[in-house]
Amino acid sequence: MTSQVLRDARRYEEEKERKIAAEPRPDFHLSARVGWMNDPNGFSYYKGEYHMFYQYHPFSPYWGPMHWGHAVSKDLLHWKQLPAAMAPDTDYDRDGCFSGSGIVLPDGRHLLMYTGVIKENQPDGSNREVQTQCIAVGDGLDYEKYAGNPVLDGKQLPENGSRFDFRDPKIWRKPDGTYRCVAGNCTPEHDGQILLYSSPDGFTWKFERILAANKGRFGMMWECPDFFQLDGKAVLITSPQDMMPQGFEYHNGNGTLCLLGTFDEETEEFHEETDQAIDYGIDFYAPQTVVTPDGRRIMIGWMQNWDTCNLHAPSRPWFGQMSLPRELSIQNGRLYQQPIREIEEMRGQKVCHENVTFTDIIRLDGVRGRKIDMELQIRPADAENIYRKFAVRFAQDDTYQTSVSFRPYESILKIDRKHSGSRRAIIHQRRCLVNNSDSRKGIIKIRLILDRFSAEVFVNDGEYALSATLYTDAAVDGISFFADGQVTMDVVHYSLGDV
Ligand code: FRU
């Protein structure tokens, strides 16, 4: 039975969506059906399709009482919106259905695990949000909240756990048929920790252990964890709030963190080895992963930044988009990300320019557009005389431009959207240290994917990724190249989708 609250949301989104034209939206990145979108939720493969749910406030383009929006796709690039899956309509989630995950039960039902939020008066007179973990079960379209909700509350917290920051369960099924989930939490001092829970059936849950503890290293509260094995490593990803920059890592305030290590299946202990940011651009948060039927681990994040996302025009009928789906692998002790290979099916006209040697500024025939997939192989024209700076400028006309530049002497790659249509004094550039011996010789591979209002950069076949949203009109589509010194490059440029 759908509640009146959910029926209202469904009616509203259906009517409102008709008034939004397709062009001002991204093409192959999922965006909010109407209103506001944040984190990816319930990312799973069910009945032959990928299901993506998302944090959703249909009634305005700003964050509000959280619903779950819902879309499906066969290739993670062409999306079909479905009616909202959940609304904050019960006594245990009346102030919001926060982030969570999805899994297929052996009996063929789709299980969603999410955070129920209620505001509660506290003994000290304050009014605070209390968070519990809840379940809904459905058929890919309609979901029924479980009568036993909440399935995890303050009683299943470790001694130093917080009932106020206890959210974003990510569930998985083990080969032995039992279930595990990780949830974000913090100590009374707001120090992040990831909690591990177990369940025989997906409905009855028990606290197992603190899987990872921040101990003051990476920001404060840890949100939206995901935990999996990949290429022989245990991978914990999480999105810490209030991060302090460390060198060239962790510059986004609310950022992303990947901890690589090993996991002992017997004791269920995670031993950390290395840490890195997941995305080095401006707009990327709360990523979640899914495994494809052919075994690839795919990650999608919210392509926004909490510190800058509320600065959009109130007249816009929708706000928020997801990142490209990214294929993950572990190489050279790092998390690598490559655009999902299905994007190659969307490639249209191909333009190649090989061994282009230039200084100063050039434009190349057939190289322009705001829906493109472009690969650049950059090297010095003379290995003994390395150029000082290379840049590709895009979304460009006489007034505007966005750029990705590289300085081999410092080995620093920069994305800069200062002249990309924003009228706000917010962060418009990010730098990334490309820690690689070839790059210090001026040899670097840059793949740039544009989808009207975003740029995603993949360096050296996925060693680093940088994402940023753009604010210029999609008709601003010029591309040029700049070199301070002599650069030689190969360019392979494809238009994407219907242009
Ligand atoms: C992360 C987050 C989650 C929470 C959701 C609320 O962006 O703060 O921790 O569940 O957004 O919308």
Side-chain angles (χ1 to χ4, degrees):
M1 268 288 287
T2 51
S3 67
Q4 188 60 42
V5 185
L6 183 59
R7 284 201 300 277
D8 288 348
R10 286 181 167 186
R11 190 169 332 109
Y12 182 87
E13 61 182 1
E14 204 183 311
E15 273 168 27
K16 222 15 192 226
E17 183 189 45
R18 285 195 225 117
K19 299 181 184 137
I20 306 176
E23 292 69 36
R25 283 184 181 273
D27 181 20
F28 49 93
H29 288 70
L30 179 63
S31 55
R33 184 171 181 189
V34 301
W36 163 277
M37 159 196 276
N38 58 289
D39 313 354
N41 291 161
F43 192 14
S44 46
Y45 188 78
Y46 180 59
K47 290 187 181 164
E49 284 180 314
Y50 296 98
H51 286 249
M52 177 59 93
F53 303 81
Y54 50 89
Q55 288 288 278
Y56 184 37
H57 182 233
F59 305 111
S60 86
Y62 295 92
W63 193 89
M66 280 291 111
H67 296 56
W68 274 37
H70 189 188
V72 286
S73 173
K74 290 216 187 297
D75 62 359
L76 295 170
L77 297 165
H78 298 84
W79 292 95
K80 182 176 148 215
Q81 296 277 3
L82 293 180
M86 288 197 282
D89 54 8
T90 71
D91 55 3
Y92 50 82
D93 66 11
R94 60 174 177 263
D95 292 309
C97 301
F98 276 18
S99 285
S101 51
I103 199 169
V104 184
L105 291 170
D107 65 9
R109 292 178 300 160
H110 200 196
L111 179 144
L112 307 178
M113 190 171 187
Y114 70 100
T115 300
V117 178
I118 53 172
K119 291 190 183 131
E120 221 181 60
N121 290 329
Q122 302 304 312
D124 68 358
S126 63
N127 182 271
R128 298 187 70 179
E129 282 183 355
V130 174
Q131 307 185 333
T132 59
Q133 314 320 318
C134 304
I135 287 204
V137 177
D139 60 0
L141 196 61
D142 293 310
Y143 293 83
E144 185 102 23
K145 289 177 185 167
Y146 175 52
N149 280 342
V151 294
L152 280 173
D153 61 15
K155 293 195 280 300
Q156 290 103 335
L157 283 172
E159 235 168 69
N160 65 354
S162 161
R163 296 190 305 132
F164 310 114
D165 288 289
F166 178 30
R167 55 182 176 270
D168 312 334
K170 173 75 202 265
I171 182 174
W172 70 96
R173 190 155 178 260
K174 298 220 335 168
D176 68 4
T178 64
Y179 298 81
R180 296 290 180 278
C181 86
V182 279
N185 189 244
C186 65
T187 66
E189 295 74 41
H190 262 94
D191 198 27
Q193 55 189 4
I194 302 301
L195 309 180
L196 179 70
Y197 293 88
S198 70
S199 167
D201 55 5
F203 293 86
T204 319
W205 290 91
K206 174 170 146 253
F207 173 68
E208 288 292 335
R209 60 163 46 249
I210 298 173
L211 186 74
N214 185 24
K215 304 209 176 87
R217 296 169 299 162
F218 308 107
M220 311 281 283
M221 164 68 188
W222 286 5
E223 302 188 304
C224 301
D226 198 344
F227 187 59
F228 50 89
Q229 297 278 346
L230 184 66
D231 300 334
K233 286 283 171 208
V235 184
L236 177 63
I237 63 181
T238 181
S239 296
Q241 294 181 316
D242 309 307
M243 293 191 94
M244 200 70 99
Q246 299 178 20
F248 287 95
E249 303 279 320
Y250 313 126
H251 278 248
N252 270 349
N254 288 7
T256 50
L257 170 68
C258 171
L259 296 171
L260 296 184
T262 56
F263 183 64
D264 184 327
E265 290 288 344
E266 287 294 304
T267 61
E268 303 207 304
E269 275 172 74
F270 174 54
H271 298 282
E272 289 176 31
E273 287 165 358
T274 56
D275 66 272
Q276 66 176 92
I278 299 175
D279 193 281
Y280 293 79
I282 302 168
D283 296 301
F284 191 83
Y285 197 67
Q288 194 171 91
T289 68
V290 74
V291 179
T292 60
D294 63 5
R296 289 171 289 156
R297 177 71 64 170
I298 305 291
M299 178 180 74
I300 289 185
W302 178 44
M303 197 155 44
Q304 263 304 329
N305 176 316
W306 275 118
D307 286 335
T308 58
C309 64
N310 269 320
L311 296 170
H312 58 279
S315 57
R316 275 183 79 171
W318 66 272
F319 180 81
Q321 59 175 308
M322 295 298 172
S323 74
L324 268 181
R326 301 172 180 184
E327 292 187 17
L328 301 184
S329 60
I330 307 294
Q331 294 175 43
N332 315 315
R334 279 186 67 81
L335 180 75
Y336 270 57
Q337 302 165 57
Q338 281 281 57
I340 193 166
R341 66 193 66 164
E342 281 80 345
I343 200 166
E344 288 158 30
E345 311 275 314
M346 292 186 64
R347 286 173 170 172
Q349 203 197 349
K350 178 178 183 180
V351 175
C352 295
H353 294 273
E354 272 175 34
N355 283 314
V356 183
T357 296
F358 71 104
T359 55
D360 207 16
I361 295 171
I362 55 159
R363 280 167 220 280
L364 297 174
D365 283 348
V367 176
R368 67 181 313 124
R370 281 286 279 265
K371 287 200 302 176
I372 63 157
D373 181 354
M374 180 164 69
E375 286 175 329
L376 307 174
Q377 303 221 30
I378 310 298
R379 53 195 175 273
D382 167 7
E384 302 300 310
N385 191 7
I386 302 178
Y387 60 91
R388 282 167 295 281
K389 178 178 169 185
F390 162 82
V392 50
R393 295 169 179 162
F394 51 94
Q396 184 180 33
D397 65 6
D398 293 341
T399 311
Y400 299 110
Q401 65 171 48
T402 304
S403 65
V404 172
S405 59
F406 181 63
R407 290 177 184 272
Y409 289 103
E410 294 123 28
S411 205
I412 284 181
L413 184 104
K414 184 165 99 175
I415 187 158
D416 186 338
R417 62 162 191 206
K418 276 198 287 296
H419 302 288
S420 173
S422 166
R423 294 171 194 267
R424 301 270 70 89
I426 58 176
I427 286 294
H428 287 313
Q429 63 179 54
R430 276 279 173 257
R431 292 182 303 160
C432 163
L433 177 67
V434 182
N435 206 0
N436 172 308
S437 56
D438 265 0
S439 58
R440 288 176 200 280
K441 295 182 198 139
I443 302 166
I444 189 166
K445 247 170 128 170
I446 297 171
R447 182 165 171 197
L448 173 67
I449 296 187
L450 303 182
D451 182 11
R452 292 195 179 124
F453 306 107
S454 65
E456 284 164 280
V457 181
F458 298 87
V459 181
N460 293 338
D461 299 312
E463 191 178 10
Y464 298 88
L466 298 89
S467 314
T469 49
L470 309 181
Y471 298 91
T472 34
D473 193 289
V476 178
D477 68 350
I479 296 179
S480 65
F481 301 88
F482 168 85
D484 178 0
Q486 268 214 324
V487 164
T488 299
M489 66 178 178
D490 300 329
V491 179
V492 182
H493 172 284
Y494 299 92
S495 54
L496 288 176
D498 312 320
V499 187

